[in-house]
Amino acid sequence: GYDLELVHLTKRYGDTVAVRDLNHVFVKGSYVCLLGPSGCGKSSTLRMIAGHEDVSEGAILLDGHDVSPLPPAQRGTAMMFQNYALFPHLSVRENVAFSLRMKGVNKATRHARANELLELVDMLNLADRLPAQLSGGQQQRVALARALITDPKVLLLDEPLSALDPFLRVRMRSELKKLQRALGITFLHVTHGQDEALALADEIVVMNDAVIEQAGPAREVWARP
Ligand code: ADP
Ligand code: ADP
């Protein structure tokens, strides 16, 4: 399977150890929430998995192969950011198709694939708009489609719901879960909301002070004192 495995994963920024010797297997097709206080190393972990940050020590295995030397686009991972980071001058469809354009996929093919993903996130009717003409929730759906167009085995989500109002947050939460189930891929979702983790996760991983403090099914993690 395409389990994601962290082996002695460590990240240092100068004298700061942001991530210390993480060892963990994320089971293929599971919804995992990574929880913990600000500064505990969640984002650094995600960025190393995505390839946006170099590993100081250790390995990141996907399907048994160490992807840590590979550039982000060749890892089988995709990342969705908190601020969505859409290109303001590109239409919704072109934003979603962007990574295929970078790979040299022809326009008809990439637009057809973009349309499929826009349909999946219920945004096909707004495909010709610019990001500025969308609400926050709509921009988030576009960012999701844009990440999924690379057919990742692992989708990394860095506090994806934190910019939304509470009503939309709860709605998008259930849509993320449905999407993850439909695609059958691993979602690794960083949050500092305990409710969010409980509502979404098959497994909760709690980080504290650069290490994994505990990990397990949601009920077990929260049952402890
Ligand atoms: P917030 O909603 O601000 O994230 P929480 O009460 O959900 O506040 O939790 C704050 C932090 O405390 C969590 O991110 C987690 O690291 C830790 N924490 C909370 N409950 C537990 C628990 N049962 N076991 C371990 N750590 C926990
Ligand atoms: P979290 O996502 O849990 O808030 P981070 O991974 O962002 O935690 O940060 C972990 C630690 O690493 C913190 O002490 C933070 O200040 C530090 N850190 C994060 N990014 C950098 C960086 N680019 N340069 C130096 N220190 C950093």
Side-chain angles (χ1 to χ4, degrees), residues 47 50 52 79-85 140 143 146 156-160:
R47 292 200 305 268
H52 299 305
M79 184 134 165
M80 188 186 141
F81 297 93
Q82 190 175 131
N83 57 8
Y84 320 135
Q140 189 198 42
R146 192 175 62 169
L156 305 161
L157 306 107
D158 195 354
E159 302 201 25

Side-chain angles (χ1 to χ4, degrees), residues 83-89 92 95 131 134 138-140 142-143 146:
N83 57 8
Y84 320 135
L86 299 176
F87 300 113
H89 59 291
V92 162
N95 262 284
L134 302 178
Q138 291 168 342
Q139 290 186 41
Q140 189 198 42
V142 177
R146 192 175 62 169

Side-chain angles (χ1 to χ4, degrees), residues 37 45 62-63 125 137 155 223:
T45 301
L62 189 55
D63 195 23
N125 58 331
L155 182 68

Side-chain angles (χ1 to χ4, degrees), residues 13 16 18 37-45 47 53:
Y13 301 99
T16 305
S38 184
C40 73
K42 304 180 299 294
S43 294
S44 297
T45 301
R47 292 200 305 268
E53 193 81 72

Side-chain angles (χ1 to χ4, degrees), residues 35-38 40 42 191-195 206-208 213-214 220-225:
L35 199 67
S38 184
C40 73
K42 304 180 299 294
T191 176
H192 50 251
Q194 188 170 324
D195 305 352
V206 181
M207 283 185 77
N208 200 8
E213 203 168 61
Q214 51 176 305
E220 286 179 22
V221 169
W222 303 118
R224 291 176 204 173

Side-chain angles (χ1 to χ4, degrees), residues 186-209:
T186 307
F187 275 31
L188 179 50
H189 175 140
V190 165
T191 176
H192 50 251
Q194 188 170 324
D195 305 352
E196 201 164 295
L198 278 167
L200 284 166
D202 298 312
E203 185 190 30
I204 293 180
V205 175
V206 181
M207 283 185 77
N208 200 8
D209 201 11

Side-chain angles (χ1 to χ4, degrees), residues 12 17 37 41 53 58 63 88 93 98 126 155 160 171 178 196-197:
R12 285 189 211 89
V17 182
E53 193 81 72
D63 195 23
R93 185 183 291 100
F98 187 78
L126 301 179
L155 182 68
R171 190 170 131 194
K178 262 196 246 163
E196 201 164 295

